[in-house]
Each structure stands twice: as C-alpha cells, then as structure tokens.
Amino acid sequence: MQINSIYLTSFLTMEVPPSVASGADSGDDQYDYDQAKEVLEFDETKAGVKGLMDSGIVHLPRFFIQPLEHRVVLPSEGSASIEVQVPVIDFRGGEGGEIVEEIRRAIETWGFFQLVNHGVPESIMEELLEGNRRFHEQPTEVKRVFYSRDPKKRVRFFCNGDLLVSKVAKWRDSVSFEYHDSTLDPEEIPQVCRKAVCEYMEQMLELREKLCRVLSAALGLSENYLSSIKCMKTATLLCHYYPACPEPDLTIGAIKHSDPSFLTILLQDTIGGLQVFHQNQWVDVPPTEGALIVNIGDLMQHLTNDKLRSVEHRVVAGRIGPRASAACFFYPSTDRECKSYGPAKEFVSDNNLPNYREITFREFMAYHRAKGQDGKPTLPHFRLQL
C-alpha cells in the first residue's frame, strides 16, 4: 500500500516536457522515459484515474497525453453547429410502421439515434448513474478487490481495457458486468450498485427485444430475424467514470472508435462530452432528458454487408466532472461465439458481393483486444480484397 501511495504522490510535482505537451517528438525525452514501466506501476496501484485525482495531481502523467491528432479543441469548437443533430426518435407509438421508417432512416444515414419514451423509467436510469458513481467513489482498498485485466471475469473494475497494449491512455475508469446469455448471478455484483445494475439490466434486456423486432423490420426482414440468429443474446454493461481533468486539452475520455458489438445502448448523465463523426465533422450529442442513445456496432455492419454503418464516436475530457455513463453492448450467445458469421445472404447478390470474409465472434474480439483502441477501426481488417 505504501508503494502505491508513493507512486501516486510522485505525480503531484511532475512536469510534462514542453515537447510532449506540444505534440512534438524530442529524442532526449524519449530516451529518458520508460512508458511501459510507468504504465505498469500505475496499473499495479489499482487506483485508476480517480486515484490520481485523489492524490492531488496538477499535471497529467505522460502516458495520458494524446498525440495532436487525437486531441480536441475545447470547448467543442469545430464540432457541428446546432442545426446538425443526431436524430431523436419518440418510441411512444410502439413498433408501428412510422417508427420503423424513422429508425431505418436514422440507422442508414447516421448509425446513431436518441430514443425517448422508450419505456425505461427515468428513476431506474438515474439510480444506475448514481450506483456507477457510488462504486467508483469508494475507497481504493474497497474497489481494488474487483480490479482485473482478465476479460473472462464476469464483474471487474479497471482503468482502460487496453492500457497495457495502447500507446496512450484515456482519462476514464470502468466497471463491467457480463450477462452471458442474458444472465449474471446478482451475488457477483458489488453490493454498492447491485440493485441499480440488476434493475437497469432487466430493462435493457426487455428493450433489446423491442429493438430487435424494429431493426429487423427496418432492414426489410421478418421481425424475429435478429432474435432468431441470437446475435444479441449476450450483454455487457460497461459503467464508465470520467473524473474532472486538470489538463483536458492534452488528453481524451475515449479516443475515436466504433463499437465491437451488434448494437449498443448508451445512457449518459447531464455533463455531456459525447461526439459522433458524421459527414466529415464531429457533432456534439448533448444530453436529452430521459433519452437513451442507440448505435450500430461493427458486427451489425459486417452482418448487413455495409448496409448499416458502425459510426466512429469519442468522449471529450473536461474540467467539470465526474461524468458518468453506462454502455450496454449486445453480442452473440455463448453457443454462437465460435460459429462463423459472414454477411447475411439477404444482403448479398450477384450485384452486391460480400465485402467481408466469414469470422467468429472470438476471432473478431481477439483481434480487437490485441490492437487496442488506436483510433483505427477493427472491421477493415476482415474486409475482402475484391
């Protein structure tokens, strides 16, 4: 414990070399700096970004400083003006033809949409965000029990899933809950957020079924198509926590990326910071009261042979915080993890050949994890050279 304390305290007076802050390379700085060693020492504290902030740092550890191409001009200058907005779809009308058409337009043109009147009580949404904060704001010695880099663990706390393989770290901590085939023993969930997670996931699994039907219809398929192939039977809930950052212009909460899922449902708090890349510009997704954000994942783009697109998005770091969010990713059932998926026959013809080779979910995720979030999408690795 003393080593952890000494390590965190060492950041209090750390000065970032000007060449690093400016984004330039400096030969002398590079030779004097052992990033792998510093990252490993940080990871061994099991304190995460929250632990750094609690130690009182005023400068970012060097491995959190992003190259210039991944930094964001604050406050959101260069993001789109207010007339360009992610579609907002009112689900109050149920699953009828008008809703199907609205969702079809949204997923084909944006790959993102905000959903309101979706049936998930706001009280349950708010309690999940509070449960998220309660978990991350516990003392490090309490959270440390759940700290792990083993993706096979059903419940785990970590700072950056790709911390040990990525060139630069992101400014966030996370706790994940794996619902294999839609189930997870509640006793595995930390008491401090157990009720909140269980109640929220019950709602997510119900909403998933509705969205499976609507998305199937929007794709021109029978409404039970997506459910029948079990492509979204497993769910992972990732509760992210973004502490206030002392130097937000040097780092980022989440680097630009697309999701390695079939579908993602995101809940964000009122602070904001999410941006979507649309028509060659970054568009802010400001919080909408009571809304959930739905986006297409890489595996859905693969299945539909590029009819639907998994759109890149990112999260800006900020001086105001903490920001809390919860992303629910939907993946294939466990009995389909080793089954080969290719573009579905419904999206392939003599005039529209497959754009991707067949892959298994395990193969896809193995490559995704090995490369880490580097600002480059995962899916092109599996594209056929036609």
Side-chain angles (χ1 to χ4, degrees):
M1 301 295 183
Q2 184 178 9
I3 293 176
N4 291 344
S5 177
I6 292 172
Y7 174 78
L8 292 173
T9 303
S10 70
F11 287 115
L12 287 170
T13 56
M14 179 180 291
E15 292 290 341
V16 177
S19 61
V20 177
S22 67
D25 285 331
S26 171
D28 291 340
D29 290 339
Q30 295 297 325
Y31 287 124
D32 292 342
Y33 178 61
D34 186 344
Q35 176 168 312
K37 178 176 180 290
E38 186 167 293
V39 167
L40 188 59
E41 288 176 346
F42 166 74
D43 195 47
E44 288 175 347
T45 69
K46 301 182 179 181
V49 172
K50 176 70 162 54
L52 287 177
M53 289 304 296
D54 289 346
S55 74
I57 65 164
V58 293
H59 297 293
L60 298 185
R62 185 161 166 177
F63 60 87
F64 278 98
I65 298 178
Q66 296 286 331
L68 289 178
E69 63 266 25
H70 291 153
R71 298 184 196 175
V72 182
V73 177
L74 295 174
S76 296
E77 300 170 6
S79 60
S81 56
I82 192 161
E83 62 265 18
V84 182
Q85 295 181 336
V86 171
V88 178
I89 295 176
D90 190 336
F91 212 47
R92 191 193 307 271
E95 303 170 29
E98 186 176 338
I99 297 296
V100 169
E101 179 58 23
E102 284 188 57
I103 288 180
R104 185 194 63 77
R105 287 197 300 267
I107 60 179
E108 289 186 357
T109 59
W110 279 83
F112 261 76
F113 60 90
Q114 296 200 71
L115 196 63
V116 297
N117 295 315
H118 38 65
V120 181
E122 286 192 40
S123 59
I124 288 180
M125 295 162 60
E126 284 300 320
E127 179 55 24
L128 180 71
L129 293 174
E130 281 302 315
N132 182 5
R133 296 185 192 100
R134 286 196 301 270
F135 176 85
H136 288 286
E137 291 169 5
Q138 295 177 105
T140 297
E141 56 269 22
V142 177
K143 294 185 294 183
R144 182 180 282 121
V145 175
F146 295 95
Y147 198 91
S148 175
R149 298 218 162 269
D150 182 359
K152 294 180 181 179
K153 285 189 175 295
R154 303 283 295 272
V155 176
R156 63 190 181 103
F157 161 54
F158 54 92
C159 176
N160 288 226
D162 61 348
L163 181 67
L164 303 184
V165 298
S166 179
K167 292 181 179 179
V168 190
K170 280 74 68 179
W171 193 254
R172 74 177 181 193
D173 296 329
S174 307
V175 57
S176 68
F177 308 91
E178 300 281 349
Y179 277 71
H180 292 169
D181 298 328
S182 306
T183 62
L184 175 63
D185 182 355
E187 293 301 315
E188 295 190 46
I189 301 173
Q191 181 68 43
V192 71
C193 59
R194 181 178 300 162
K195 184 173 183 289
V197 169
C198 290
E199 290 185 349
Y200 184 78
M201 283 305 296
E202 182 179 347
Q203 296 291 326
M204 286 299 98
L205 297 177
E206 183 177 334
L207 181 58
R208 172 195 61 188
E209 296 307 309
K210 296 177 183 177
L211 287 173
C212 274
R213 292 191 292 270
V214 173
L215 290 171
S216 293
L219 288 167
L221 306 169
S222 63
E223 70 170 23
N224 69 341
Y225 179 83
L226 292 174
S227 293
S228 69
I229 63 173
K230 300 182 179 180
C231 65
M232 292 191 277
K233 188 69 172 177
T234 285
T236 297
L237 180 67
L238 262 179
C239 292
H240 296 306
Y241 184 89
Y242 304 82
C245 182
E247 296 178 301
D249 54 321
L250 298 181
T251 191
I252 198 162
I255 196 173
K256 71 172 183 176
H257 66 285
S258 55
D259 291 344
S261 59
F262 273 94
L263 194 74
T264 304
I265 301 176
L266 176 73
L267 168 65
Q268 62 172 341
D269 67 10
T270 59
I271 290 179
L274 175 66
Q275 296 182 333
V276 176
F277 197 65
H278 178 69
Q279 296 183 345
N280 296 314
Q281 61 184 332
W282 286 104
V283 179
D284 287 316
V285 187
T288 298
E289 185 177 358
L292 292 167
I293 299 167
V294 181
N295 67 273
I296 299 301
D298 292 345
L299 294 174
M300 187 72 81
Q301 178 173 338
H302 177 267
L303 180 76
T304 62
N305 204 34
D306 291 338
K307 181 177 177 65
L308 303 184
R309 298 286 179 143
S310 179
V311 180
E312 291 182 319
H313 48 288
R314 66 186 183 186
V315 177
V316 177
R319 293 187 182 277
I320 299 174
R323 175 184 186 268
S325 69
C328 190
F329 302 90
F330 293 103
Y331 300 113
S333 59
T334 54
D335 66 344
R336 300 281 180 114
E337 287 184 355
C338 295
K339 179 186 184 298
S340 292
Y341 282 91
K345 61 181 178 60
E346 290 83 358
F347 304 101
V348 175
S349 68
D350 291 341
N351 297 321
N352 188 32
L353 297 176
N355 294 327
Y356 304 97
R357 66 176 177 85
E358 289 193 349
I359 57 174
T360 67
F361 174 66
R362 285 189 181 180
E363 178 188 12
F364 180 85
M365 289 305 296
Y367 176 74
H368 175 77
R369 290 181 179 126
K371 83 178 205 47
Q373 285 192 355
D374 55 3
K376 299 176 183 177
T378 300
L379 193 54
H381 177 75
F382 303 98
R383 182 176 286 276
L384 292 171
Q385 302 301 314
L386 301 178

